[in-house]
Amino acid sequence: MSGGFTRFAEPVAAEIGFCAPRLPIVLDIAAGALAGTVQLPIVDSTRKRSELEEALIAGNLDRVLSMAVGDGAK
């Protein structure tokens, strides 16, 4: 699960064997280059928490087997 940029999160997910990155932030591309903007919605900490909890339920996983790491961005 990542709130990271798709240009970086998707290759890393593939490299380490994650099924699919979730909660991506999509960077806008203009004329083949980064435009310096992102597509909406911006995923906030509340959404990240609910997505993690839903993934635990869907995978029938105990919460103590999960780990969440964040950078403190809001």
Side-chain angles (χ1 to χ4, degrees):
M1 199 172 292
S2 172
F5 301 115
T6 55
R7 294 274 175 188
F8 307 103
E10 288 174 351
V12 170
E15 175 88 17
I16 61 178
F18 282 2
C19 297
R22 293 177 64 168
L23 306 175
I25 299 172
V26 180
L27 298 168
D28 290 322
I29 306 291
L34 294 173
T37 55
V38 297
Q39 294 180 16
L40 296 176
I42 302 296
V43 178
D44 64 9
S45 60
T46 301
R47 169 101 185 269
K48 290 176 188 176
R49 181 182 183 131
S50 68
E51 288 278 342
L52 175 58
E53 290 172 350
E54 288 174 19
L56 291 171
I57 291 167
N60 196 31
L61 299 170
D62 191 318
R63 189 174 190 170
V64 300
L65 299 175
S66 70
M67 180 177 72
V69 178
D71 61 8
K74 295 193 182 226

